[in-house]
Amino acid sequence: MRLENIIWDARDPRRLGAFWAAALNAEPQIDDPDHYEARLSFADGYFLDLCFQPVAEPSRAPARLHLDLAGGARQGEIVDRLLGLGATHADVGQGEVPWVVLADPEGNAFCVMEHRDAYAGAEPIAALPLDSADPERDAAFWAELTGWTRVGGPAAATLRHPSGTGPLLELCPEPEPKRGKNRLHLDVRPDHADDPVLGRLAELGARTVGPAAPDLPWTVFNDPSGNEFCVLAPEAGG
């Protein structure tokens, strides 16, 4: 099982996808009016796909997953570049902080971070902060699901790909219980149909969302804190 996708619900997938591909220097993979994908490649064949799917009206619920982008010494330069691509400054109640909060063209807030030693090698995405009712429990859940390992970091509990590259997955104490659908979520994919984790999802704390949809190549679950994620079908031949 591996973490494969970051998914955005989008009114205009092509416009939002093109913004994020340019923002992160990701390689476009699919560029259709109703579906856009771009790929971030890291070490040892590890990659994350950025996927943008159409929805008539994205959720207005408070965001529980967002992107923290690497900034460091180039924070101001990166902010200016993102503003030029179509980002705007955003106020989410952050007050005086050393990071800069922006919003993408559809209003999804994200941050450009100051230097932190924990983010070494995590460019262009420093971290994926995910709200959690119990960070220790959810770190154990996501470690089982992805094979990512515990590392030190500024969050209550933090995971990272075993290669030591790419973003941190930060489990952060939720400011309030989940309500409404997340506008961003994560997808995982098993390497093969008999992956042992598939049979243990309920035991680990996952809950299926709604009835099964056999015509779709994925199944939607909630993690133990209610955050949506999808389990994709194994790749052909897996």
Side-chain angles (χ1 to χ4, degrees), residues 17-59:
F19 166 83
W20 278 107
L24 301 175
N25 293 312
E27 183 67 29
Q29 304 285 304
I30 300 173
D31 184 359
D32 294 330
D34 62 350
H35 185 65
Y36 190 99
E37 291 188 15
R39 176 164 294 182
L40 286 175
S41 297
F42 304 101
D44 303 325
Y46 157 45
F47 66 87
L48 287 173
D49 284 343
L50 317 175
C51 305
F52 302 82
Q53 61 185 15
V55 297
E57 184 59 40
S59 173

Side-chain angles (χ1 to χ4, degrees), residues 74-84 87 89 100 102 112:
R74 298 179 55 240
Q75 185 186 54
E77 173 189 338
I78 290 170
V79 167
D80 288 344
R81 177 174 175 272
L82 293 166
L83 293 172
H89 284 282
V100 179
L102 301 176
V112 182

Side-chain angles (χ1 to χ4, degrees), residues 6-173:
I6 308 171
I7 307 289
W8 281 255
D9 286 352
R11 295 185 186 87
D12 185 339
R14 174 177 275 171
R15 176 173 179 250
L16 188 60
F19 166 83
W20 278 107
L24 301 175
N25 293 312
E27 183 67 29
Q29 304 285 304
I30 300 173
D31 184 359
D32 294 330
D34 62 350
H35 185 65
Y36 190 99
E37 291 188 15
R39 176 164 294 182
L40 286 175
S41 297
F42 304 101
D44 303 325
Y46 157 45
F47 66 87
L48 287 173
D49 284 343
L50 317 175
C51 305
F52 302 82
Q53 61 185 15
V55 297
E57 184 59 40
S59 173
R60 297 181 181 274
R64 291 175 60 89
L65 173 67
H66 69 273
L67 274 61
D68 283 349
L69 305 191
R74 298 179 55 240
Q75 185 186 54
E77 173 189 338
I78 290 170
V79 167
D80 288 344
R81 177 174 175 272
L82 293 166
L83 293 172
L85 292 173
T88 55
H89 284 282
D91 185 349
V92 295
Q94 68 269 23
E96 293 294 324
V97 292
W99 56 87
V100 179
V101 182
L102 301 176
D104 70 19
E106 293 201 2
N108 300 296
F110 64 96
C111 303
V112 182
M113 303 303 292
E114 77 282 9
H115 170 79
R116 295 183 182 182
D117 290 344
Y119 295 157
E123 300 81 7
I125 304 174
L128 299 168
L130 179 64
D131 282 1
S132 167
D134 185 335
E136 286 294 327
R137 176 199 64 193
D138 290 353
F141 173 84
W142 282 98
E144 285 278 353
L145 213 62
T146 63
W148 288 24
T149 56
R150 287 290 296 264
V151 296
T158 304
L159 302 175
R160 196 172 195 183
H161 189 272
S163 66
T165 59
L168 310 181
L169 178 60
E170 297 181 338
L171 287 306
C172 305

